[in-house]
Amino acid sequence: MQETNKFPLLSGNISIDLVNTEVVRWGQRYDLLLNNEDILDWLYVVKEDNSFWNEQLFIKIKEHLSQVTLNILEMRKVLRKEFEAIADQHHISNDFITFLEKKIEKAPFTYKLIEHNLIPFPIGEIEDVLLSLIAFDILTLIEENKLTFLKKCSNPECVLLFIDVGGKRKWCSMKICGNRKKVARFQHRKLEDN
């Protein structure tokens, strides 16, 4: 359980990392969230960036795991479609913003001061709490004008997304696609030289 390298956590944003739970390996598309256990594993991995996630929260998640899984997978489907449109230079739609705001309305936030940081705590049913956090993450990216820098990996076989504020990044990561392309170019040049 909790295999950290199973999931490509490239962004530090729970919303983008959720979409990136669909990957392509060896030319085949894989879903890393096939069942309740996969969802639990992913939630344990991404909890590092969510200071209020504790064992009590996971007890609630486990009590409602089937509904949590269903809701997260439905949310990922919507986000994949919207994020790919944004990465293709389409404007962020008002319908998408309204969709996100409605997710937060189901589990609005209270705030606590933890280590001199004001931390949002969603309150409500656990399946709504997780979606509210994901929606809050996206709205924060929109507010900070970072979602407009959402890009697809330059590897045409890859489906991973990332934020590229500097405008120079080509690959989802050097480990995943960048090195593969470098090695392929090197081998191609080596064959041409022979």
Side-chain angles (χ1 to χ4, degrees):
M1 202 168 157
Q2 300 169 29
E3 183 187 335
T4 52
N5 62 358
K6 175 181 177 180
F7 304 105
L9 304 177
L10 305 172
S11 70
N13 294 95
I14 192 171
S15 59
I16 298 169
D17 288 340
L18 173 60
V19 172
N20 285 342
T21 57
E22 293 177 298
V23 298
V24 172
R25 292 185 180 146
W26 304 285
Q28 179 100 20
R29 194 170 186 141
Y30 289 93
D31 186 343
L32 302 178
L33 302 179
L34 292 174
N35 54 44
N36 291 345
E37 288 72 32
D38 291 340
I39 292 284
L40 263 182
D41 286 349
W42 180 74
L43 289 171
Y44 270 109
V45 168
V46 297
K47 84 176 185 140
E48 303 298 318
D49 297 325
N50 296 285
S51 52
F52 76 90
W53 292 28
N54 55 34
E55 284 310 309
Q56 278 185 318
L57 186 81
F58 279 99
I59 289 169
K60 287 182 185 178
I61 289 170
K62 288 173 186 172
E63 289 170 359
H64 299 267
L65 191 53
S66 292
Q67 189 60 48
V68 166
T69 297
L70 183 65
N71 287 7
I72 286 179
L73 293 178
E74 285 176 8
M75 182 76 151
R76 181 182 66 179
K77 186 177 178 181
V78 170
L79 297 186
R80 166 71 63 192
K81 179 178 172 254
E82 294 293 332
F83 282 1
E84 285 183 350
I86 292 165
D88 287 336
Q89 306 302 307
H90 293 277
H91 291 288
I92 300 165
S93 74
N94 288 332
D95 288 344
F96 183 47
I97 292 171
T98 301
F99 168 81
L100 298 170
E101 290 170 342
K102 287 190 183 306
K103 294 296 177 194
I104 291 175
E105 283 174 15
K106 288 185 177 180
F109 292 93
T110 185
Y111 292 84
K112 294 189 181 189
L113 193 61
I114 298 176
E115 297 176 15
H116 303 289
N117 293 313
L118 199 55
I119 307 295
F121 284 80
I123 50 176
E125 298 299 324
I126 190 63
E127 52 270 25
D128 296 325
V129 162
L130 295 171
L131 298 186
S132 183
L133 274 174
I134 294 166
F136 183 78
D137 179 62
I138 300 165
L139 289 172
T140 302
L141 287 170
I142 293 170
E143 176 197 29
E144 295 171 351
N145 200 34
K146 288 183 179 173
L147 203 56
T148 56
F149 296 100
L150 190 65
K151 285 177 76 174
K152 293 178 184 176
C153 182
S154 290
N155 177 356
E157 295 176 8
C158 185
V159 294
L160 298 180
L161 301 166
F162 57 91
I163 300 276
D164 180 29
V165 177
K168 295 182 185 205
R169 188 168 159 190
K170 290 174 61 172
W171 314 111
C172 57
S173 84
M174 283 307 291
K175 268 182 161 175
I176 297 171
C177 287
N179 282 338
R180 283 186 200 152
K181 289 297 178 183
K182 279 184 169 182
V183 168
R185 278 195 310 267
F186 175 76
Q187 289 175 341
H188 181 71
R189 279 194 303 258
K190 208 167 137 182
L191 285 173
E192 285 179 344
D193 291 344
N194 291 335

